[in-house]
Amino acid sequence: NWGKYVQKYLDSVGIHFPAAWCMAFNYWCINEASKIHAQKNPLFKSGGVLNTWNMTDKSRRVKTPKPGDVFIIDFGKGLGHAGIVTSVKGNFIYTIEGNTNDDGSREGYEVAARRRPIANIKGFINID
């Protein structure tokens, strides 16, 4: 949960110590895209997955995913995971995620492309 790139993601949400970084990765990515398009980042600035979900305006919380949305998984006991939807095929989303690994952990060591069942997702944050 630390290193040159992870530190950059965590810094983007005001975290300056080793910590889980999946939500910080999402915030950083959306923030970089927002700068290119001269728009405000629509994500709530937080490193907490469930905090971001809870602080997001309900009009942005959706059940049907589309590319560009941020997915939210709630594992219970305050633990979550998030990533960016790249495509939707049938009952699955394809994603890019930080703080994961090839086995799909929420405490991984890399940014990876993943496939996840939509049924396991709490909801999606619409970025449009």
Side-chain angles (χ1 to χ4, degrees):
N1 286 336
W2 201 241
K4 178 178 160 184
Y5 295 105
V6 172
Q7 188 172 353
K8 176 172 50 173
Y9 308 143
L10 290 170
D11 283 347
S12 76
V13 295
I15 298 173
H16 308 293
F17 52 87
W21 53 277
C22 65
M23 194 67 234
F25 172 75
N26 294 313
Y27 183 86
W28 180 85
C29 288
I30 301 298
N31 201 52
E32 292 299 304
S34 295
K35 288 178 194 175
I36 291 168
H37 296 286
Q39 297 178 350
K40 182 179 185 263
N41 187 336
L43 280 180
F44 181 75
K45 186 176 184 175
S46 174
V49 172
L50 301 177
N51 185 47
T52 297
W53 177 257
N54 291 331
M55 297 303 291
T56 296
D57 187 275
K58 289 183 181 178
S59 67
R60 288 197 176 272
R61 296 188 215 171
V62 296
K63 288 289 183 187
T64 304
K66 66 181 191 340
D69 288 349
V70 173
F71 75 83
I72 303 293
I73 299 175
D74 184 347
F75 293 109
K77 299 182 182 177
L79 301 176
H81 186 64
I84 299 170
V85 177
T86 58
S87 66
V88 182
K89 293 181 183 157
N91 295 323
F92 293 91
I93 56 171
Y94 292 78
T95 67
I96 187 79
E97 308 171 18
N99 202 23
T100 190
N101 59 28
D102 296 339
D103 296 327
S105 170
R106 63 171 290 281
E107 283 294 337
Y109 49 82
E110 66 184 350
V111 173
R114 307 268 313 127
R115 180 181 91 138
R116 294 192 179 270
I118 292 172
N120 293 350
I121 308 300
K122 177 180 184 74
F124 302 89
I125 298 173
N126 180 285
I127 298 303
D128 290 341

